[in-house]
């Protein structure tokens, strides 16, 4: 696979010639009655009865006859030669069936390496060298998971330790080469740029004010409560591979398996059952999956592989790891004008990020944020280090979190430097609502927005003026209180085929709807819920479009034998893509239904109008056929010149991405004795366009906020200088509980997407993207008067304590 | 090494099985009893996904050996609504959208149910403390708190 | 994570348990198991024999007798939280029971196990040091009482012999003018302390007649802040005296740097928290308000 | 992880140096040692460490480098087992100061594998505790040796680099401690033995149980004539213990 090198970002999206102006409201309006439960209804989730009764079916619940278990021997070194793997003692244990090594995979057809989603390669099992701590070294197959674990302890691997390179800045010196297998003898993987350097230099030359900061966004881990796992079941007689796996993108994974293994794609069935949280961690293919599938091929038996938590925390599902140097410019009046960013992306041993192929740094160039900058110069370098591959999203649309954190921190620093109120400063600098659709200086065409409305609302909800007054009073008494704002612009719904693909497969998504004769329906989609509530929201979309009660629509995803091809669920793309496809497929069905209704009512199609769940004759609503009646007719009494049946499929290629936004305000109190941070209040005003199910949207936002709080205050994957992961359990990788998570206060504005079929934008990740800078800004706001300009996340009490003591505050 | 025959009551039914001493209770429940509603989320007694009620107490079944449950009464999520009539806590989680991926949910429900048996009218703070041994990665907890408040009110009504 | 194999015994009586320990060298006592079982799951502990004392219900009690509070070694943390006696008279112990690990772990975790494990990061060692408690151990030779000041001998090492079982903890009943508090700084619920300070004092007016202070997780061995105690004994609890005592404690402990923070941070936090814990204990002395 | 410090022994330089290089004691007192064999210039050993709740088998290798008589040496420790590994390089310097001897050490320690990822909180504490205890133990030992006034084999390792079989703890913190302890306590004897014996040392007789060590090396040393090696092992065991306890729920 070729290295991605020296690339600059190109966008094909254009400002529409006749842009649609959209209004901002803040009330959800349901057009359908409760019986139909279309868009806007707070419908209880259809999937919940199984989960609340313990009847969900996750991959570890799958038990097949004759199933064997796989466990993995992992490297204790971050970099070492493998001198010998002695599995003889392990093989002597009763119940041990096989030990699979890199040599075995090589012999099986060069399966010891696999391609990554970014067209790089990654070792599956190593032959001569381990490249990161906890790397898979070999796999044990046994009749029982306890025996497999025993056998792993008996495998003796003889290593010759090598010096690892852990810091990407050191790695760039190329004194230690991470990937000797590569043609290019360098740790520098790629260089990528966006914006216009010359124009940016010119803007900075004119600038009256420039602020500069180094911002590190550390490696974190999605840590879904369910780890990764697979049950692979190779049926020799049928030459058929059935795979249950924790996959956010089952179709894409099927294609990857077909290409890697050489098995015909129609002989591979991937079933993604209920998933216990994904957050991007279940997008890539990990070595364990490949070995598990190979083990089934070799043994002819079903094989189950389920990661332990510590394996999960040490070997896969890592995100972020961006080392940023940013400069922001403003003119004399405090108008923001330019942004210059240099970033090192620590890839680990492979560029295995889960980004669209042409975007090695994801959608990072959205980093001009909510501000109409004149120019920006964004440079990113990808670097190999002796760490596991990273780059999954962590509930984020491809590096948008990094972008938003950087710009919202920089804007806050500028506001403070200019002695301007951060809210007033933002309001004075936002892209105005009449500027949409807005083309940013890095090439994005923002579809719609009303940033001032969202911030205004948040300020009212939290009584911003009152808080500033309180802060001044407290400061006079030596008490530390801070107020932080984040006014973020998200970019989700990848994406338009012209720019977006994964391994060449365009990032459309799909829906197929079949209406049964009795007026019930099944809908199958190319995405895959991991808790987002697709079984409910897709049913509501179809209910909205066809008038079928949402309860009458069965939604299925995740089985590649039955669902239409799709790219899966991540990056808040399900509603923008598959949701749109569901609406478009429903509209195709409605078009056919109209013909049937015209036939039944013996009128012309032009005489009919649609009313919630029926076609009625214009001016004579008594003459009508409901969708159920039409469905029955589609199988029993359809027009002679029309095919029977009532179904449709749609592969939706979005014309543009969608750009959700919001303004968050956080209030913190800081204990000057201990550095403890108390998030007293947090108001989140989100605008995700039109809302399908307010209950689910609230849940997505609250959950996303806690996953934004987590990296802001708690979570970090820490390596020592030898590449040893020091945060290998949940005891050291700190996930917030209900005690650390504040009571979130939500508000909303609604600015529909002008190009999406029903004006929705996607919501699951906005809060994860928007929350960290609001929290960081609040903490720095509490400390600014002492001389503190910036603190890197996670902002721990230890860091705050250090800052306090350095600036002379002592309890 | 040592094998033990254990007898216990599981969701109201008597069960006798032979287990290896080292078999963790959670594996016994999932593999031997095939009650897969109880989940595994960590190795360190941190996450609470495996919470069951053992002799009336909510405990993390990954940190108890199955052999220790000999003679005990065990309730898992499958035993909360045996006849399909949802318990008020289950209702609350459904009504208030107290779950998303559903993976932590059985453990969360077992904890919440035990909490309300001890404290009939918990404050929000008491609820948050009470579920602080269970980690949810999806919901942000607001709606779990609301779900438990809903159940408390529902149980109060029933009394 | 799967433990290695072992032999399991569930004795019905204490004598049977002691006999099993005698017969099986290297046997390990299983109480609440909330530290031992995770260690076994990582195979960092691989005892060949486990003697499960959870069946010894005679070791599960909370009662006041003969001038002290007697806690059976199998008393669960959750039982402490729920005990009216402890809620009424043992504020320091109640504080402690509420912050050990998390509410589910506290359903199984035992006070005896928390002490016998002798982990300086555990919460009860500091509390029992502050109370001046004593520990009852049963061995082949019968019963002996070990003062808490002699109990912790090193990192994870206690004065218990391998063939002894800790059976009871005795806490002197606080007299008039007594008050106590435990303050723990933790990164999140379920975490070990960054620092923790346990204080038990007796006041006469504003003068501190006696005080004992235990520290959590800032020393390789659970420790008393003896210097700080001396600084405060016989003194009025002025801000200056507290600051001085806090500084002494910060100097006499010996914390290690880890992901919770630097050595310096932990010392300074100990200073700050000590002052607050003393003030809280003071406020709890009956009649002082 | 870097560890450094110094210790002052109430014994003259000769006694200290000889104490540090007594091969006989070394071989006799390796606790939990199940195997000890010489392979050319290297000694490879296996130790079964049992400390409190912790138990584990570890393969160890020790090399002594740059031995400068009555002055300094470098010890390289490499221990591995299923639970992880420990690597340490320790520089030891001794200097007579009249009736006392000052020992300075600095070491670079790396602990990896399960132990480090699980037992992070104990790495530093256990290493420091081990070093402290081993030095105190060594001090007691030296005093006992002096009291016994037994002739001590002259230690003059000629070999540039000699590997010694030693049980190397694979636990957190253990390595550092191990390295330092080993370096401080055991180095010379091995070297001397390697040179003088030329044949594999006989299997070690059963050593004192680690439990005894756990109870407190310092307490026991005086009466039982623990060798420095013993102390080293004890230290290693302690380190292991620390690691074992890992970062788990309390209670």
């Amino acid at each position: 696979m070729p290295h991605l090198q020296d690339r600059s970002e190109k966008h094909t999206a254009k400002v529409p010639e006749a842009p649609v102006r959209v209004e901002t409201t803040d009330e959800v309006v349901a057009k359908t009655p409760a019986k139909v439960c279309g868009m806007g209804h707070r419908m209880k989730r259809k999937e919940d009865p199984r989960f609340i009764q313990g009847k969900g079916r996750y991959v570890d619940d799958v038990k097949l006859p004759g199933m064997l278990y796989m466990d993995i021997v992992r490297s204790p070194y971050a970099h070492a030669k493998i001198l010998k793997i002695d599995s003889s003692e392990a093989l002597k244990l009763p119940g041990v069936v096989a030990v699979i090594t890199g040599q075995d995979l090589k012999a099986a057809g060069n399966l010891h390496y696999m391609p990554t989603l970014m067209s790089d390669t990654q070792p599956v099992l190593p032959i001569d060298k381990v490249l990161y701590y906890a790397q898979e070294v070999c796999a044990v197959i046994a009749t029982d998971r306890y025996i497999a674990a025993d056998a792993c302890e008996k495998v003796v691997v003889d290593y010759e330790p090598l010096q690892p390179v852990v810091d990407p800045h050191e790695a760039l010196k190329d004194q230690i080469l991470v990937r000797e297998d590569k043609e290019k003898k360098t740790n520098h993987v790629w260089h990528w740029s966006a914006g216009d350097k010359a124009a940016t230099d010119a803007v900075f030359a004119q600038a009256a004010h420039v602020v500069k900061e180094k911002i590190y966004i550390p490696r974190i881990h999605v840590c879904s409560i369910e780890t990764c796992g697979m049950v692979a079941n190779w049926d020799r007689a049928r030459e058929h591979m059935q795979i249950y796996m924790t996959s956010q993108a089952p179709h894409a994974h099927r294609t990857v398996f077909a290409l890697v293994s050489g098995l015909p794609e129609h002989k591979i069935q991937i079933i993604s059952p209920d998933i216990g949280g994904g957050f991007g961690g279940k997008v890539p293919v990990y070595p364990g999956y490949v070995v598990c599938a190979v083990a089934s091929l070799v043994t002819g038996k079903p094989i189950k592989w389920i990661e332990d938590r510590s394996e999960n925390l040490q070997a896969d599902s890592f995100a972020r790891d961006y080392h940023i140097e940013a400069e922001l410019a403003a003119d004399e009046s405090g108008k923001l004008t330019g942004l210059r960013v240099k970033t090192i992306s620590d890839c680990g041993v492979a560029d295995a990020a889960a980004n669209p192929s042409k975007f090695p740094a994801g959608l990072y160039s959205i980093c001009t944020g909510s501000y109409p900058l004149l120019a920006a110069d964004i440079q990113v370098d990808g670097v190999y280090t002796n760490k596991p591959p990273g780059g999954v999203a962590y509930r984020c649309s491809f590096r948008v979190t990094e972008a938003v954190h950087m710009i919202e921190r920089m804007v806050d620093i500028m506001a403070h430097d200019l002695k301007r109120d951060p809210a007033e400063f933002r309001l004075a600098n936002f892209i105005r609502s009449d500027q949409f659709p807005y083309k940013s200086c890095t090439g994005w065409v923002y579809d719609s927005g009303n940033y001032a409305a969202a911030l205004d609302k948040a300020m009212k909800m939290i009584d911003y003026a009152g808080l500033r007054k309180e802060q001044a009073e407290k400061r006079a008494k030596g008490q530390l209180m801070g107020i932080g704002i984040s006014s973020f612009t998200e970019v989700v719904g990848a994406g338009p085929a012209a720019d977006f693909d994964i391994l060449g497969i365009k990032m459309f998504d799909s829906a197929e709807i079949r209406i049964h004769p009795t007026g019930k329906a099944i809908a199958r989609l190319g995405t895959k819920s991991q808790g987002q509530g697709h079984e409910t929201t897709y049913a509501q979309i179809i209910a909205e479009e066809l008038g079928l009660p949402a309860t009458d629509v069965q939604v299925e995803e995740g089985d590649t034998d039955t669902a239409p091809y799709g790219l899966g669920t991540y990056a808040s793309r399900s509603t923008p893509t598959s949701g749109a496809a569901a609406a478009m497929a429903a509209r195709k069905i409605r078009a056919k239904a109209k013909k049937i209704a015209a036939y039944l009512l013996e009128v012309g199609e032009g005489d009919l109008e649609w009313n919630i769940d029926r076609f009625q004759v214009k001016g004579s609503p008594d003459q009508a056929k409901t969708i159920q009646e039409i469905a029955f007719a589609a199988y029993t009494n359809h027009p002679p010149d029309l095919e029977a049946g009532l179904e449709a499929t749609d592969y939706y290629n979005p014309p543009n991405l969608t750009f959700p936004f919001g303004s968050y305000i956080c209030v913190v109190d800081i204990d000057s004795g201990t550095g403890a941070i108390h998030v007293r209040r947090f108001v989140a005003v989100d605008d995700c366009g039109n809302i399908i199910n307010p209950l689910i949207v609230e849940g997505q936002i609250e959950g996303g906020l806690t996953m934004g709080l987590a990296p802001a205050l708690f979570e970090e994957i820490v390596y020592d200088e030898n590449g040893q992961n020091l945060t290998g359990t949940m005891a050291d990788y700190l996930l917030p509980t209900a005690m650390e998570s504040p009571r979130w206060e939500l508000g909303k504005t609604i600015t529909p997407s002008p190009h999406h079929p029903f004006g929705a934008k996607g919501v699951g990740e906005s809060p994860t993207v928007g929350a960290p800078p609001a929290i960081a800004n609040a903490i720095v706001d509490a400390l600014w008067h002492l001389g503190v300009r910036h603190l890197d996340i996670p902002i721990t009490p230890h860091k705050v304590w250090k800052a306090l003591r350095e600036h002379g505050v002592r309890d | 090494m040592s094998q033990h025959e254990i007898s216990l009551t599981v969701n109201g039914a008597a069960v006798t099985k032979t287990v290896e001493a080292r078999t963790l209770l959670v594996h016994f429940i999932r593999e031997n009893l095939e009650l897969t509603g109880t989940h595994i989320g960590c190795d360190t007694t941190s996450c609470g996904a495996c919470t069951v009620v053992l002799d009336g107490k909510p405990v993390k079944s990954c940190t108890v050996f199955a052999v220790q449950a000999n003679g005990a009464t065990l309730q898992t999520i499958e035993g909360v609504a045996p006849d399909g009539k949802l318990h008020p806590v289950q209702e609350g989680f459904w009504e208030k959208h107290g779950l998303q991926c559903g993976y932590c949910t059985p453990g969360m429900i077992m904890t919440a149910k035990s909490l309300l048996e001890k404290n009939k009218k918990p404050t929000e703070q008491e609820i948050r403390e009470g579920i602080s041994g269970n980690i949810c990665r999806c919901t942000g907890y607001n709606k779990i708190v609301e779900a438990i408040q809903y159940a408390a009110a529902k149980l109060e009504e029933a009394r | 994570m799967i433990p290695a194999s072992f032999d399991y015994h569930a004795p019905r009586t204490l004598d049977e348990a002691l006999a099993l320990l005698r017969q099986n060298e290297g046997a390990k006592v299983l109480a609440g198991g909330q530290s031992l079982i995770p260690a076994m799951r990582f195979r960092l502990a691989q005892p060949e024999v486990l003697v499960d004392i959870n069946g010894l219900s005679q070791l599960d009690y909370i009662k006041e007798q003969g001038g002290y509070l007697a806690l059976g070694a199998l008393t669960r943390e959750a039982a402490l939280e729920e005990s009216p006696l402890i809620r009424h008279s043992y504020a320091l112990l109640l504080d402690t029971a509420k912050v050990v690990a998390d509410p589910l772990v506290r359903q199984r975790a035992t006070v005896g196990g928390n002490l016998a494990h002798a982990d300086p990061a555990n919460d009860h060692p500091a509390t029992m040091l502050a109370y001046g408690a004593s520990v009852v151990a049963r061995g082949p030779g019968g019963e002996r009482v070990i003062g808490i000041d002699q109990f912790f001998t090193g990192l994870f090492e206690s004065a218990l012999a391998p063939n002894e079982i800790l059976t009871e903890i005795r806490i002197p009943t606080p007299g008039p003018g007594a008050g106590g508090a435990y303050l723990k700084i933790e990164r999140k619920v379920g975490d070990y302390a960054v620092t923790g300070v346990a204080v038990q004092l007796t006041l006469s007016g504003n003068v501190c007649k006696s005080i004992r202070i235990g520290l959590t997780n800032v020393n390789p061995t659970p420790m008393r802040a003896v210097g700080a105690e001396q600084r405060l004994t016989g003194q009025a609890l002025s801000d200056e005296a507290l600051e001085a005592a806090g500084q002494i404690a910060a100097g006499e402990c010996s914390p290690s740097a880890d992901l919770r923070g630097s050595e310096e941070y932990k010392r300074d936090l100990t200073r700050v928290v000590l002052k607050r814990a003393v003030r809280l204990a003071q406020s709890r002395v009956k009649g002082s308000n | 992880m870097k560890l450094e410090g110094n210790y002052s022994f109430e014994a003259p330089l000769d006694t200290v140096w000889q104490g540090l290089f007594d091969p006989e004691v070394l071989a006799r007192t390796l606790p939990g040692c199940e195997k000890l064999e010489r392979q050319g210039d290297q000694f490879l050993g296996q130790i079964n460490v049992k400390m409190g709740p912790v138990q584990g088998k570890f393969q160890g290798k020790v090399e002594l480098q740059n031995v400068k008589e009555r002055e300094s040496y470098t010890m390289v420790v490499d221990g591995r087992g299923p639970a992880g590994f420990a690597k340490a390089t320790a520089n030891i310097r001794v200097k007579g100061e009249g009736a006392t001897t000052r020992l300075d050490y600095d070491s670079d320690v790396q602990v990896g594998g399960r132990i480090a990822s699980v037992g992070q909180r104990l790495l530093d504490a256990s290493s420091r505790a081990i070093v402290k205890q081993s030095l105190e133990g060594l001090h007691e030992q030296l005093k006992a040796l002096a009291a016994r006034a037994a002739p001590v084999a002259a230690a003059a390792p000629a070999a540039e680099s000699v590997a010694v079989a030693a049980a190397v703890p694979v636990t957190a913190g253990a390595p550092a401690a191990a390295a330092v302890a080993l370096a401080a306590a055991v180095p010379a004897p091995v070297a001397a033995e390697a040179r003088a014996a030329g044949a594999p040392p006989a299997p070690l007789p059963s050593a004192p149980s680690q439990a005894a060590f756990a109870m407190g090396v310092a307490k026991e040393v005086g009466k039982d004539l623990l060798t420095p090696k013993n102390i080293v092992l004890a230290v290693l065991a302690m380190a292991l213990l620390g690691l074992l306890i890992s970062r788990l729920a309390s209670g």
Side-chain angles (χ1 to χ4, degrees), chain A residues 451-489:
Chain A
Y451 302 150
L455 181 52
D456 273 339
K457 183 158 186 180
M459 289 167 71
K460 286 199 184 82
M461 282 177 68
I462 208 163
D463 181 18
Y464 185 76
L467 286 171
R468 285 292 176 200
K469 188 160 164 277
E470 182 193 344
Q471 183 187 34
E473 288 162 9
K474 287 202 162 146
R475 195 166 288 173
K477 289 188 274 184
Q479 294 170 6
L480 301 173
M481 166 187 166
I483 304 155
I485 299 172
S486 158
S487 292
F488 63 89
T489 294

Side-chain angles (χ1 to χ4, degrees), chain A residues 105-119:
Chain A
L105 294 184
K106 190 178 182 189
N110 286 327
L111 292 176
H112 58 307
Y113 276 97
M114 65 179 180
T116 71
L117 294 180
M118 297 309 293
S119 298

Side-chain angles (χ1 to χ4, degrees), chain A residues 68-232:
Chain A
L68 304 175
Y69 295 80
M70 181 174 102
D71 204 344
I72 293 176
V73 176
R74 291 176 185 274
S75 170
Y77 296 96
H79 198 193
K81 276 187 193 162
I82 297 173
L83 303 176
K84 191 181 171 199
I85 299 175
D86 180 358
S87 54
S88 56
E89 289 302 312
L91 287 165
K92 283 180 196 161
L93 275 186
V96 173
V97 176
V99 175
I100 297 174
T101 65
Q103 287 290 4
D104 300 327
L105 294 184
K106 190 178 182 189
N110 286 327
L111 292 176
H112 58 307
Y113 276 97
M114 65 179 180
T116 71
L117 294 180
M118 297 309 293
S119 298
D120 196 357
T121 58
Q122 177 184 350
V124 177
L125 292 177
I127 289 177
D128 48 359
K129 264 171 106 179
V130 287
L131 301 179
Y132 57 92
Y133 172 71
Q135 184 177 347
E136 300 78 1
V137 173
C138 63
V140 174
I141 313 295
T143 52
D144 176 273
R145 70 173 90 201
Y146 280 51
I147 295 170
D150 290 346
C152 281
E153 300 276 307
K154 301 257 180 207
V155 174
V156 180
V157 185
D158 203 359
Y159 297 98
E160 181 187 325
L162 301 169
Q163 184 65 41
V165 59
V166 180
D167 174 29
H169 301 92
E170 282 300 310
L172 277 174
K173 295 177 187 163
D174 284 335
Q175 284 165 352
I176 294 167
L177 194 60
V178 175
R179 293 292 297 267
E180 282 180 329
D181 58 309
K182 294 277 181 183
E183 211 170 291
K184 261 179 71 179
K185 301 301 172 197
T186 174
N187 294 322
H188 183 224
V189 197
W190 44 259
H191 176 80
W192 170 90
S193 63
D196 183 333
K197 184 173 186 307
T200 307
D201 288 348
V203 163
F204 270 81
Q206 297 290 315
H209 309 285
V210 173
V211 292
K212 242 176 136 161
E213 195 55 67
K214 282 188 182 177
I215 297 173
Y216 176 48
I217 301 185
R219 182 173 274 230
I220 54 175
H221 193 283
V222 301
C223 207
S224 51
I225 309 298
E226 179 199 39
T227 60
C228 297
M230 175 185 271
V231 176

Side-chain angles (χ1 to χ4, degrees), chain A residues 759-779:
Chain A
K761 294 184 174 178
V763 71
E765 295 157 343
S766 291
T768 318
V769 165
I775 296 166
N777 287 345
I779 295 167

Side-chain angles (χ1 to χ4, degrees), chain D residues 217-236:
Chain D
V217 173
K219 285 187 300 185
E220 300 283 310
V221 259
K223 39 183 170 160
D224 204 30
L225 237 210
L226 289 185
T227 62
K229 175 86 182 194
N230 216 342
I231 293 163
V232 170
L233 287 172
V235 167
L236 291 175

